[in-house]
Amino acid sequence: QTELERVGPKLRVAAKTSGTEWRAHIEQTKTHETKLRDFLPRTEKQLEAIRDRLSQAKEKITLKENYINKQFDQKKDNFQTLKDELNKIEATFRQGTDNVAKLSTSLSGIADQLDDIKSTMNDRGNSMTDTSPLVQIKQALKQLKQEVTEFDLKIGVVGHTLMQRKLRHGNPSSDSKGYKMRGKTSTDDAPPGH
C-alpha cells in the first residue's frame, strides 16, 4: 500500500501527459504551417528571381556560344583544312624518308663499287706508269746490240784473217798477174826478214 501511494502520483501525471501529447503535436504542426505560409510568398519570389537570373544567364551563355561559334567557324574550317594538309605532308614526309633510306642504301652500295673500281684503276695506273720493265727491255736491247756489234767485229776479223790466209796460200796455177799481186801482197804483208 505504501509503495502504491508513493508511485501513484507519478503514474497519474504520466497518464495526464500521455493524453495531451498528440494535441501538442497538432499545435506545433499548425504553428509551423503558419510560419511556412508566412515565409512561402517571400521564398517563392526569391526562387523565381533566382530562376529568372539563371534563365537570363543561360540565354547569355547560349548567345555567347553561338557568337563564338559563328566567329570561329571560318577559323575552325581553316584549322581543319590545315590539319588535313599537315596529315598529307606528314605522309609525304614519311614516304620521302623511306625513299631517302632506300637511296642511301643504294648510294652506299654504289660507293663501295666505285671504291673497288678506283682501286682497280689505281692498280692498273700504277702498273702502266711503272717503267721498270720497259727500262729492263731497253737495257736488254742495248746489250744485244752491243753483243751483235761485237759479233760483227769478230766475224769481220775472222773473215779478214781467212781472206789473208787464202791470199797467202793461193793456187799456183792462177793467173800470173793475180799471182804476182797476191805474192806482192803477201810479200808486203810478210814481216821483214822473210
Side-chain angles (χ1 to χ4, degrees):
Q1 184 69 27
T2 305
E3 185 66 24
L4 181 59
E5 290 177 354
R6 187 177 66 81
V7 179
K10 293 181 180 180
L11 292 174
R12 283 196 295 271
V13 172
K16 184 178 180 181
T17 303
S18 177
T20 59
E21 184 178 0
W22 60 277
R23 291 180 182 177
H25 287 300
I26 291 175
E27 291 297 330
Q28 288 178 358
T29 303
K30 288 181 179 180
T31 302
H32 291 317
E33 183 183 4
T34 302
K35 289 181 180 180
L36 286 174
R37 289 184 183 276
D38 291 337
F39 289 122
L40 183 60
R42 287 182 296 171
T43 305
E44 285 180 349
K45 289 181 180 180
Q46 292 175 355
L47 291 173
E48 288 177 357
I50 292 171
R51 183 193 64 188
D52 293 338
R53 287 199 297 271
L54 289 174
S55 298
Q56 291 174 0
K58 182 182 176 183
E59 290 177 1
K60 288 181 180 179
I61 291 172
T62 303
L63 292 174
K64 195 68 175 177
E65 184 180 358
N66 293 332
Y67 173 77
I68 291 172
N69 288 335
K70 288 180 181 179
Q71 290 293 322
F72 288 94
D73 273 344
Q74 185 65 34
K75 292 183 178 180
K76 182 185 73 174
D77 295 338
N78 292 336
F79 175 77
Q80 187 63 39
T81 302
L82 292 174
K83 185 178 179 181
D84 294 338
E85 291 179 358
L86 178 61
N87 291 333
K88 292 179 181 178
I89 292 171
E90 287 178 349
T92 304
F93 175 76
R94 286 192 295 271
Q95 185 177 1
T97 302
D98 294 338
N99 291 335
V100 168
K102 293 178 181 178
L103 291 174
S104 297
T105 304
S106 178
L107 178 62
S108 177
I110 293 172
D112 293 338
Q113 293 178 0
L114 181 61
D115 291 337
D116 294 338
I117 293 172
K118 284 183 178 179
S119 178
T120 304
M121 293 298 293
N122 288 332
D123 293 340
R124 290 183 180 179
N126 292 332
S127 63
M128 291 175 67
T129 55
D130 187 8
T131 58
S132 57
L134 183 61
V135 171
Q136 292 176 358
I137 292 172
K138 287 183 177 180
Q139 291 177 351
L141 288 174
K142 185 176 181 181
Q143 186 175 358
L144 285 174
K145 286 181 180 180
Q146 290 177 352
E147 291 178 356
V148 168
T149 302
E150 291 176 358
F151 279 122
D152 287 340
L153 288 173
K154 289 180 180 180
I155 290 170
V157 170
V158 171
H160 182 69
T161 303
L162 290 174
M163 182 65 69
Q164 285 183 352
R165 287 184 180 180
K166 285 183 179 181
L167 289 175
R168 286 177 185 175
H169 303 287
N171 191 353
S173 63
S174 297
D175 179 81
S176 59
K177 186 177 179 179
Y179 177 77
K180 288 179 179 180
M181 288 186 66
R182 284 196 297 272
K184 184 179 180 181
T185 303
S186 300
T187 304
D188 291 339
D189 293 336
H194 281 81

